[in-house]
Amino acid sequence: MARTGRRPGPSGTRGQILAAAARCFAAAGYDATSVRRVAADAGVDPALVRRFFGGKEQLFTEVASALIDPAQALAAVTGGPPEAAGERLLRYFLAMLGDAARPGPYLGLVRCAVTSEHAAYLFRQFLAERVLGEIAAELDAGRPELRAALVASQLVGLAVARYAVRLTPLADAGVDELAAWVAPVVQYYLTGTEPVPKEEQS
Amino acid sequence: MARTGRRPGPSGTRGQILAAAARCFAAAGYDATSVRRVAADAGVDPALVRRFFGGKEQLFTEVASALIDPAQALAAVTGGPPEAAGERLLRYFLAMLGDAARPGPYLGLVRCAVTSEHAAYLFRQFLAERVLGEIAAELDAGRPELRAALVASQLVGLAVARYAVRLTPLADAGVDELAAWVAPVVQYYLTGTEPVPKEEQS
C-alpha cells in the first residue's frame, strides 16, 4: 500500500514509543510517568524518546492525537450530509473506543486528565485547538465553540459511563442501539436551534 | 431548626469523618486511602471510623451518598411537571457541583472510579441501585434503566468537561445557559420517544 505522506503508523520505533507511553500514562497517570519510564517500557534509550518527541508534554499530546485523530474526527463531521453528522461522529468515537468489555487506552487519557492538573491542561489544549476548534469552524450555527464542547461532554461522559464505571445498560448496549439513542443528541448540539436561556424562578 | 429525623448532617464527628474521607479519596484515589489515613485526617481513632461506618467500602459509598443524595435526585425528577423533569435534574446536579472555578469533591468520586476497579464497582452499585434504579422506576417510558444510564452519561461528562478538563466554553458558561442547552437532552433521555436502531450501512 502506498504511504500517505503522513507520519508513520503504529509500527516502527516511533510507534513502539507511543504505545509504551499510552500504557504508562494509563497505568500510572501523568505525574508519575517519566520519559525514562516510557523508554524502559519501549526498550529504547531515553535520548531516543527525547529526539522523537521532545519531552513528556509532547509525548502526552502525541498519544492523545494517535487515539483521537483530529483529521478523522473532522472528516466524520464533514464527510456526508450535515443532518447525519452527529451519527457519523458518534460512530467514529464508539469504533475508536472499541469493545466495551476491555477499556481501551482512551480511558488512560481521561484518567490522566482527572488526576493531574497539568495533564488536564494539555488535554484541554489538544481538544480545544486541534479537535473541537476544527469542528466548530465547520459548523454553520451560532455558538460553535460551545456546541463542540457540549458534544465533547456527551462523548466523554459516554466513555466514562460505559467503559470506566461500566453502568450495565450502557456497557451491554450494542453500537447500533447506542447510536439510535445518542446520535440525535450529538446532532442537536452540532446543528440544533440555539436555545434561549431563561432565568430560574426562585 | 427542627431535626428532620434523617441522619445527622455534616456537623458532628460523623460529618467530620465523612468530610475527611471525601478529601482523602479525592486527593489519593481509592486504593491508596485507608481507614487509618481517614481517621488521622479527621483527628479521631480508627476504631471510631470502623464503628460508625464499618470499613473503607461503606465509607466510600457514604461519601457518594452525601454528595449525590439519592432522595434529592429522585425528588428533582418527580417533584413537578414531567415535561420539566430534565431541567430540574440538571439544575440539581449543577447546584451540587457548585462553582466551576473550584472543582468540588464530586470529582474525587469520578477520579476514584477511573483509577480503581473496585471503586468503579462500588460507584456503579451505588448509582445503579440507589440513584438510577429509583429514577428509572418513576419513568413511564420504554427502557427505563437505559434512559437513566444515558442521563448519568451526560451529567458525568458535563462534570468532567466543565470541572476536570475545564473546556473553556463550558467552564465559563452560566447555569442558566447550560440549562438551556443541556436540559432538553436530559428531558429527551427521560421521556423522549424510544428510537428505532438501524444497522449501519457498511
Side-chain angles (χ1 to χ4, degrees):
Chain A
M1 238 164 71
R3 293 294 284 273
T4 59
R6 232 174 142 260
R7 60 165 188 261
S11 61
T13 306
R14 196 179 184 285
Q16 281 171 30
I17 296 170
L18 270 186
R23 279 193 298 274
C24 291
F25 285 131
Y30 182 82
D31 295 337
T33 296
S34 62
V35 166
R36 183 169 296 274
R37 183 172 177 153
V38 170
D41 188 287
V44 302
D45 193 87
L48 190 66
V49 175
R50 291 204 180 81
R51 186 152 66 79
F52 269 120
F53 295 99
K56 186 165 86 165
E57 293 194 342
Q58 296 91 323
L59 203 47
F60 182 79
T61 304
E62 283 300 312
V63 166
S65 179
L67 291 171
I68 308 172
D69 186 323
Q72 283 196 49
L74 186 64
V77 172
T78 58
E83 67 273 16
E87 177 160 359
R88 288 192 301 273
L89 184 57
L90 179 66
R91 284 186 182 274
Y92 161 68
F93 185 75
L94 290 172
M96 181 188 83
L97 288 172
D99 184 359
R102 51 174 189 84
Y106 171 82
L107 267 192
L109 291 181
V110 175
R111 177 185 175 165
C112 287
V114 300
T115 55
S116 161
E117 286 279 327
H118 195 65
Y121 165 79
L122 293 172
F123 192 47
R124 176 168 70 244
Q125 295 295 104
F126 167 73
L127 278 182
E129 289 173 12
R130 294 182 54 186
V131 184
L132 303 178
E134 299 282 313
I135 289 175
E138 293 295 326
L139 297 180
D140 187 20
R143 308 299 307 278
E145 288 83 11
L146 180 59
R147 288 172 184 272
L150 287 165
V151 168
S153 81
Q154 174 62 89
L155 297 184
V156 166
L158 194 58
V160 170
R162 180 168 156 95
Y163 296 84
V165 183
R166 290 191 214 159
L167 286 173
T168 311
L170 292 177
D172 292 351
V175 167
D176 291 329
E177 188 176 26
L178 281 181
W181 282 92
V182 182
V185 170
V186 179
Q187 186 70 38
Y188 156 69
Y189 286 144
L190 289 174
T191 63
T193 305
E194 191 176 341
V196 180
K198 61 174 175 181
E199 286 180 34
E200 190 179 20
Q201 289 90 16
S202 58
Chain B
M1 239 164 69
R3 294 295 286 270
T4 59
R6 234 176 141 259
R7 61 164 187 260
S11 62
T13 305
R14 196 179 183 284
Q16 281 170 30
I17 296 171
L18 270 186
R23 280 194 297 274
C24 291
F25 285 132
Y30 182 81
D31 294 338
T33 296
S34 63
V35 166
R36 182 168 297 273
R37 182 173 178 152
V38 170
D41 188 287
V44 302
D45 194 86
L48 191 66
V49 176
R50 290 204 180 80
R51 186 153 65 80
F52 269 121
F53 295 98
K56 186 165 86 165
E57 293 193 342
Q58 295 92 322
L59 203 47
F60 182 79
T61 303
E62 283 301 312
V63 167
S65 180
L67 291 171
I68 308 172
D69 186 322
Q72 283 197 49
L74 186 64
V77 172
T78 59
E83 67 273 17
E87 178 160 0
R88 288 193 301 275
L89 184 57
L90 180 65
R91 284 186 183 274
Y92 162 69
F93 185 75
L94 290 172
M96 180 189 83
L97 288 172
D99 185 359
R102 50 173 190 85
Y106 171 82
L107 267 191
L109 292 180
V110 175
R111 177 184 176 165
C112 287
V114 300
T115 55
S116 160
E117 286 279 327
H118 195 63
Y121 164 79
L122 294 172
F123 192 48
R124 175 168 69 244
Q125 295 295 105
F126 166 73
L127 277 183
E129 289 172 12
R130 294 182 54 187
V131 185
L132 303 178
E134 300 284 312
I135 289 175
E138 293 295 326
L139 297 180
D140 187 22
R143 308 300 307 277
E145 289 83 12
L146 180 61
R147 288 173 183 272
L150 286 164
V151 168
S153 81
Q154 174 62 87
L155 297 184
V156 165
L158 195 57
V160 170
R162 179 169 157 94
Y163 296 83
V165 182
R166 291 191 213 159
L167 286 172
T168 312
L170 292 177
D172 292 350
V175 167
D176 291 330
E177 187 176 27
L178 281 180
W181 282 92
V182 181
V185 169
V186 180
Q187 186 69 37
Y188 155 70
Y189 286 145
L190 289 173
T191 64
T193 306
E194 191 177 341
V196 180
K198 62 175 178 181
E199 286 181 34
E200 190 180 22
Q201 290 88 16
S202 58

